[in-house]
Amino acid sequence: MNFFRTPFFLPQIYPSLIWRVATDQPVIYLTFDDGPVPGPTEFVVDELNRYQAKATFFCIGDNIQKHPEVFNKIIKSGHLVGNHTFNHLKGWSTPLEKYLQNVELCEGVINRQLADDRELQSSLVGKRYFRPPYGRITFKQIKALKDNHQIVMWDVLTHDYSKNISRSSCLAGSIKAARPGSIVVFHDSLKANRNLTYVLPKFLEHFSKLGFQFKSLPLLNRES
């Protein structure tokens, strides 16, 4: 089993969650968790721009409030944003009501930041993508969120946040695990910065040379 790829049985246990995009085209869906953070997020956006790549950023509401200018850089560069709770809560150890309130807090912050962008607001009417921090969410939380959010997990976890994985291993494992339609998780955070700044440019270069495109997740509407 590839340590960097999601075990095959998890999508079977949680079939309503998105783990990978069904396609035979050379497309990879990069996602970035835990921002926006000055430094790492700006680095990511600049690297993506170098390759005309688009991505989806799962943002923490508290970080959006603290760093609205960095959040705006994500938006102005044409990337998609998703909800990652307001305080990076772990679903397995958080009561349902508290968890839902925290998701809504993040939702409110995102909506306020996007209030001046009418085109983007209209395109996001309906559901928004949501990723549970740590990938940990209960069946009750899934059921409560499903009407207004599409929950996104991943096909490839880069482990860029881990101090126990070398930069070269992080790169090699991520490249080996990725395939057409993969949803790949990086982290635009200070904790991941050491691996992120080494791996992301080389990951982009490697797959660009193979003819891959990097896209944000498809926009959602009320029927999604």
Side-chain angles (χ1 to χ4, degrees):
M1 183 180 294
N2 190 314
F3 175 62
F4 290 80
R5 184 179 288 173
T6 295
F8 72 92
F9 56 85
L10 285 179
Q12 297 175 6
I13 297 173
Y14 300 95
S16 66
L17 313 188
I18 296 177
W19 299 85
R20 183 183 174 203
V21 177
T23 181
D24 57 0
Q25 299 300 307
V27 177
I28 288 175
Y29 296 87
L30 295 178
T31 63
F32 296 87
D33 289 6
D34 298 355
V37 177
T41 303
E42 294 160 325
F43 169 81
V44 168
V45 172
D46 290 343
E47 286 299 309
L48 294 175
N49 286 343
R50 286 180 57 202
Y51 289 89
Q52 292 79 53
K54 299 303 178 188
T56 305
F57 288 76
F58 287 93
C59 298
I60 295 173
D62 191 39
N63 283 344
I64 298 173
Q65 278 196 166
K66 291 175 179 175
H67 313 293
E69 71 289 348
V70 183
F71 181 84
N72 288 338
K73 182 169 183 174
I74 295 172
I75 299 302
K76 290 178 180 178
S77 295
H79 303 294
L80 192 64
V81 295
N83 188 320
H84 201 45
T85 75
F86 188 83
N87 296 115
H88 204 259
L89 295 185
K90 189 176 295 184
W92 291 356
S93 56
T94 305
L96 176 62
E97 192 62 31
K98 180 179 179 180
Y99 195 77
L100 297 179
Q101 289 174 354
N102 210 263
V103 172
E104 286 307 308
L105 274 175
C106 181
E107 199 70 20
V109 172
I110 292 174
N111 287 335
R112 285 192 293 275
Q113 285 299 124
L114 299 181
D116 294 331
D117 194 325
R118 294 182 180 179
E119 181 179 351
L120 187 59
Q121 276 284 28
S122 63
S123 71
L124 291 175
V125 169
K127 292 185 178 182
R128 191 188 305 281
Y129 287 117
F130 171 78
R131 174 172 286 156
Y134 311 100
R136 296 179 179 179
I137 188 168
T138 68
F139 285 107
K140 286 184 178 180
Q141 290 162 353
I142 291 172
K143 183 178 180 180
L145 289 169
K146 68 178 183 179
D147 288 342
N148 295 316
H149 296 85
Q150 176 59 64
I151 300 172
V152 180
M153 304 300 274
W154 54 79
D155 185 48
V156 177
L157 180 62
T158 63
H159 297 279
D160 53 352
Y161 54 83
S162 176
K163 295 181 179 180
N164 299 320
I165 295 179
S166 69
R167 296 185 299 176
S168 58
S169 295
C170 184
L171 174 64
S174 300
I175 286 176
K176 184 177 181 180
R179 53 186 170 169
S182 281
I183 298 174
V184 180
V185 182
F186 285 93
H187 295 78
D188 51 326
S189 66
L190 294 174
K191 183 178 181 180
N193 200 50
R194 179 183 69 94
N195 285 337
L196 174 71
T197 53
Y198 177 84
V199 175
L200 180 61
K202 292 177 171 56
F203 188 96
L204 289 165
E205 180 182 19
H206 174 85
F207 283 103
S208 293
K209 287 181 177 178
L210 294 178
F212 276 74
Q213 291 182 301
F214 301 94
K215 296 183 179 181
S216 55
L217 293 167
L219 290 173
L220 294 169
N221 55 45
R222 290 192 187 279
E223 283 71 44
S224 295

